[in-house]
């Protein structure tokens, strides 16, 4: 494939500024799994259970199914043209340059905000050890340790993309092993009719005998969607690895097709055993029920180990966010949509300038912790993140609708067709509309929701300011056809 040798406006030469295809199949598979198991599950599931009761199981199934179709649409589009480095590229081609600008910058902010949520969670998990008697009382040392973790993640990302893939591989392995261990432990406690210190016995009947499956009614069921949607952010991360994946034609479909199995195992089964050991109305919304389950069993060491797991989970998600933000800024720079400095690669082929700016912004989340609780700060940033991700996911679906109309022959011969291609994009878009309405029903989520329109106002102003400088991407990926 041709490379560009000279560029207007002093941009870096494409031949020296290409992302490298160094992510193997096992890296991408585990990045996909890690993306589907977010801090929203570990940190936020206590709040969602408290809000919705047993019906939270249905919430996770619904969100998981809807996002599976988003992923299938994205997968077909990425394989339609292997020069697409991410969904930002096909959004720009299918909907127009404005969509590439909007999706790229919004996705960048998505992960900056998500990184903030993860570092807030990391501080909370450190506090479990720093201040074990009063984990809700945040100690300054916990904040310092959270910032140290952020600096460590920056160091890892500055090395090579292969090291990023390797770290995510092991982070994801830790998460998977921990959830499987929790499920096995919960099933054992259920079968042996485990009795808690307060006399409560494990029972499957807790799913329906404490106010029914919908104990908080439809309003409680609806309230569960905010953190549930956030729990899935990062599920599209596999799409941002397309330009650095060795064999995307084989690897991407495998990663996407496994999503339904992951939802059932990692979300539904895990929360089901938690709610059968501890009645849903006795679960503390401010604590991680994953850590509490092992504490309940009297396994202090296991509870400490689970805290380590959720700490690595939050770190993993933040690590993914740093990877994504730097790649988005890289792509935007090579289209004239971001400062040229973000389009330059380090000698190790890493877009380090994007990494630096993203880390600085994520670090500011510590300021939120100075005057709010962990869960209070977490709720604000996760709501903003969920709204921004819904916008990005919607652009993916709209791009797919245009692709179907513009390239029917390509769809007909695609080896990875989206199921229900003619109607499911509209079903999922309608679902996203309903979720946005639901976010207006709770005071804490409404406040965060009202902030997000400011971002789109800024983007619109920014687009009109730079649209005359926009050009076609001046890099091409390595040949993989």
């Amino acid at each position: 494939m041709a490379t560009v040798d000279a560029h207007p406006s002093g941009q870096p030469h494409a031949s020296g500024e290409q992302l490298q295809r160094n992510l193997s199949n096992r890296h991408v598979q585990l990045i996909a799994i890690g993306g589907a198991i977010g801090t929203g599950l570990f940190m936020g599931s206590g709040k969602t259970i408290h809000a919705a009761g047993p019906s939270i199981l249905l919430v996770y199934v619904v969100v998981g199914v809807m996002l599976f179709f988003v992923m299938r649409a994205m997968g077909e589009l990425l394989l339609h043209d292997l020069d697409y480095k991410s969904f930002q590229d096909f959004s720009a081609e299918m909907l127009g340059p404005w969509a590439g600008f909007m999706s790229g910058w919004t996705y960048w902010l998505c992960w900056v905000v998500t990184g903030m949520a993860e570092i807030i969670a990391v501080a909370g998990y450190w506090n479990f050890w720093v201040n074990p008697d009063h984990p809700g009382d945040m100690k300054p040392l916990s904040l310092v340790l959270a910032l140290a973790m952020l600096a460590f993640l920056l160091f890892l990302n500055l090395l090579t993309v292969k090291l990023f893939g390797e770290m995510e591989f092991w982070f994801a392995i830790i998460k998977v092993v921990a959830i499987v261990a929790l499920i096995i432990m919960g099933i054992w406690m259920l079968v042996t009719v485990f009795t808690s210190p307060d006399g409560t016995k494990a029972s499957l009947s807790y799913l329906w005998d404490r106010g029914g499956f919908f104990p908080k009614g439809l309003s409680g069921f609806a309230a569960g969607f905010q953190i549930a949607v956030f729990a899935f952010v990062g599920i599209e991360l596999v799409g941002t690895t397309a330009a650095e994946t060795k064999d995307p034609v084989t690897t991407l479909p495998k990663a996407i097709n496994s999503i339904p199995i992951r939802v059932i195992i990692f979300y539904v089964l895990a929360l089901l055993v938690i709610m059968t050991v501890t009645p849903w109305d006795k679960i503390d919304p401010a604590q991680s029920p994953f850590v509490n389950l092992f504490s309940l069993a009297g396994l202090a060491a296991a509870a400490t180990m689970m805290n380590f797991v959720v700490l690595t989970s939050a770190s993993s998600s933040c690590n993914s966010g740093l990877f994504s933000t730097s790649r988005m800024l890289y792509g935007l720079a090579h289209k004239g949509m971001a400062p040229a400095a973000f389009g330059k690669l380090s000698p190790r082929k890493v877009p380090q300038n994007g990494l630096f700016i993203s880390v600085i912004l994520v670090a500011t989340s510590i300021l939120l912790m100075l005057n709010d609780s962990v869960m209070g700060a977490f709720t604000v940033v996760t709501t903003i993140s969920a709204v921004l991700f819904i916008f990005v996911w919607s652009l993916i679906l709209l791009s797919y609708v245009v692709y179907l109309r513009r390239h029917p022959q390509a769809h007909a011969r695609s080896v990875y067709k989206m199921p229900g291609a003619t109607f499911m994009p509209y079903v999922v878009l309608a679902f996203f509309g309903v979720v946005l309405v639901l976010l207006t029903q709770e005071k804490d989520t409404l406040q965060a929701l009202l902030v997000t329109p400011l971002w789109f106002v800024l983007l619109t102003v920014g687009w009109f300011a730079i649209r005359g400088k926009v050009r076609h991407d001046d890099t091409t990926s390595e040949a993989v056809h």
Side-chain angles (χ1 to χ4, degrees):
M1 303 177 81
T3 56
V4 181
D5 293 319
H7 305 281
S9 71
Q11 283 293 322
H13 291 287
S15 57
E17 300 296 334
Q18 293 174 350
L19 296 170
Q20 303 297 300
R21 291 189 178 275
N22 288 328
L23 293 177
S24 67
N25 177 59
R26 72 181 179 90
H27 290 142
V28 175
Q29 297 300 325
L30 270 295
I31 287 171
I33 290 175
I37 308 172
T39 307
L41 174 63
F42 287 119
M43 182 78 173
S45 53
K47 182 178 179 179
T48 57
I49 290 171
H50 182 76
S55 66
I56 193 63
L57 299 175
L58 184 58
V59 171
Y60 279 106
V61 169
V62 171
V63 177
V65 168
M66 293 298 172
L67 289 180
F68 172 68
F69 286 101
V70 175
M71 292 294 292
R72 285 299 300 259
M74 182 182 72
E76 183 177 341
L77 280 165
L78 287 173
L79 296 181
H80 165 65
D81 185 345
L82 294 179
D83 273 343
Y84 293 148
K85 289 188 284 295
S86 72
F87 50 80
Q88 189 232 349
D89 291 334
F90 65 64
S91 294
E93 182 168 323
M94 298 298 167
L95 301 175
W98 67 270
F101 177 80
M102 291 280 191
S103 64
W105 277 108
T106 300
Y107 196 65
W108 170 78
L109 183 64
C110 281
W111 276 109
V112 167
V113 174
T114 301
M116 290 179 172
E118 307 302 352
I119 288 301
I120 287 169
V122 165
Y125 295 140
W126 277 119
N127 210 53
F128 177 83
W129 288 316
V130 172
N131 192 16
D133 296 329
H134 303 283
D137 182 16
M138 183 63 64
K139 294 291 186 181
L141 177 59
S142 301
L143 301 179
V144 172
L145 290 170
L147 289 175
M149 178 65 76
L150 182 60
F152 176 65
L153 295 178
L154 171 62
F155 171 72
L156 290 179
N157 273 273
L158 286 173
L159 296 179
T160 64
V161 67
K162 190 171 184 179
L163 181 60
F164 162 79
E166 201 64 36
M167 288 302 300
E168 280 304 291
F169 176 84
W170 290 106
F171 274 149
I173 287 288
I174 291 171
K175 286 193 273 191
V176 169
V177 170
I179 293 178
V180 171
L182 176 129
I183 292 171
I184 293 172
M185 170 70 75
I187 291 174
W188 175 80
M189 294 169 81
L190 181 62
V191 170
T192 59
V193 193
F194 174 82
T195 303
S196 301
D198 63 0
T200 302
K201 294 183 177 181
S203 172
L204 203 58
S205 65
Y206 294 150
L207 298 177
W208 60 81
D209 70 358
R210 290 181 173 247
F213 190 70
F214 293 89
K216 297 286 190 77
L218 287 179
S219 61
F221 175 68
F225 279 89
Q226 182 261 326
I227 294 286
V229 169
F230 177 75
F232 284 92
V233 304
I235 202 170
E236 75 302 311
L237 181 64
V238 66
T240 66
T241 67
E244 294 169 275
T245 302
K246 288 180 180 177
D247 184 13
V249 176
T250 302
T251 301
L252 293 181
K254 280 185 180 179
I256 292 170
N257 287 341
S258 63
I259 288 173
I261 298 171
R262 294 200 299 267
V263 169
I264 292 171
I265 294 176
F266 300 134
Y267 286 81
V268 178
L269 274 182
L271 295 185
L272 189 147
V273 298
I274 285 172
M275 288 188 288
T276 56
V277 173
T278 303
W280 69 268
D281 54 344
K282 290 188 176 182
I283 292 174
D284 186 352
Q287 301 293 325
S288 169
F290 285 77
V291 176
N292 288 344
L293 182 74
F294 285 103
S295 297
L296 194 63
L299 302 173
T304 296
M305 182 60 70
M306 181 55 76
N307 194 66
F308 168 75
V309 169
V310 293
L311 175 63
T312 60
S313 172
S315 302
S316 165
S317 187
C318 187
N319 194 35
S320 299
L322 297 180
F323 173 89
S324 298
T325 54
S326 60
R327 269 63 182 178
M328 275 296 156
L329 289 178
Y330 171 85
L332 288 165
H334 283 278
K335 294 181 183 68
M337 297 178 178
F342 293 132
K344 296 179 180 178
L345 298 179
S346 71
R348 294 179 178 271
K349 301 299 181 184
V350 171
Q352 64 181 19
N353 293 334
L355 280 170
F356 287 134
I357 192 68
S358 298
V359 165
I360 291 170
L361 290 172
V362 168
T364 63
S365 61
I366 296 300
L367 298 175
L368 287 172
M369 299 295 297
L370 299 179
N371 60 1
D372 205 347
S373 66
V374 171
M375 189 52 70
F378 188 75
T379 299
V380 170
V381 293
T382 52
T383 301
I384 294 173
S385 178
V387 174
L388 295 175
F389 271 99
I390 285 173
F391 175 78
V392 171
W393 295 333
S394 297
L395 283 182
I396 291 173
L397 291 171
L398 291 172
S399 299
Y400 186 78
V401 169
V402 173
Y403 156 79
L404 280 182
R405 188 172 68 242
R406 192 180 296 172
H407 303 288
Q409 299 88 354
H411 172 66
R413 65 174 180 265
S414 173
V415 296
Y416 195 56
K417 294 184 181 70
M418 174 189 176
T422 56
F423 62 90
M424 278 311 300
Y426 302 102
V427 172
V428 181
L429 285 169
F431 168 73
F432 288 155
V434 171
V435 171
L436 291 177
V437 172
L438 295 179
L439 291 178
T440 66
Q441 305 305 304
E442 298 290 321
K443 183 179 178 181
D444 52 358
T445 56
L446 176 61
Q447 290 174 342
L449 183 65
L450 293 176
V451 173
T452 51
L454 295 176
W455 169 250
F456 295 107
V457 171
L458 286 173
L459 272 189
T460 302
V461 172
W463 169 246
F464 282 107
I466 63 95
R467 61 178 179 169
K469 303 174 184 176
V470 171
R471 59 182 179 277
H472 288 292
D473 198 329
D474 57 14
T475 66
T476 52
S477 60
E478 293 176 272
V480 291
H481 293 287

